[in-house]
Amino acid sequence: MPRKFFRKVMPSVDKVREMRVLSMFGDSLFHPSLWHLNRRSAAGGVAVGLFCGLIPGPLQMLGAGIACVLFRVNLPVALVATFYTNR
């Protein structure tokens, strides 16, 4: 059940590709492993999000996004996981 719920909530790659602001990043942001929801990708996204949540200031999400592209882990999961320090 949680997997179906997250698939409904997560944006599709096509919707993200339509955004003009994100088109400047080219194909690196649209790699399938950044949006695929499986065990390895979700665990890596949580790990990246928790680590980058320790970065001071407003650079947490930017750091998590860059790390996700480098390590090819789930991007939305990592961005949500950075919120653990932002109470």
Side-chain angles (χ1 to χ4, degrees):
M1 172 165 140
R3 188 173 187 177
K4 289 181 184 178
F5 172 73
F6 286 122
R7 282 196 179 168
K8 280 192 247 180
V9 176
M10 279 183 27
S12 67
V13 178
D14 297 328
K15 286 195 178 209
V16 175
R17 195 180 295 261
E18 291 174 1
M19 294 182 188
R20 290 185 183 181
V21 176
L22 300 177
S23 64
M24 67 181 172
F25 294 109
D27 290 333
S28 64
L29 188 62
F30 305 116
H31 193 274
S33 64
L34 295 176
W35 302 97
H36 189 71
L37 190 60
N38 60 15
R39 243 188 244 175
R40 181 189 174 280
S41 181
V46 170
V48 165
L50 293 177
F51 180 75
C52 289
L54 299 173
I55 298 173
L59 300 174
Q60 296 171 344
M61 294 182 104
L62 180 65
I66 292 170
C68 284
V69 171
L70 290 175
F71 296 123
R72 302 278 190 219
V73 294
N74 197 308
L75 181 65
V77 171
L79 295 180
V80 170
T82 60
F83 289 132
Y84 81 96
T85 58
N86 301 334
R87 291 208 262 151

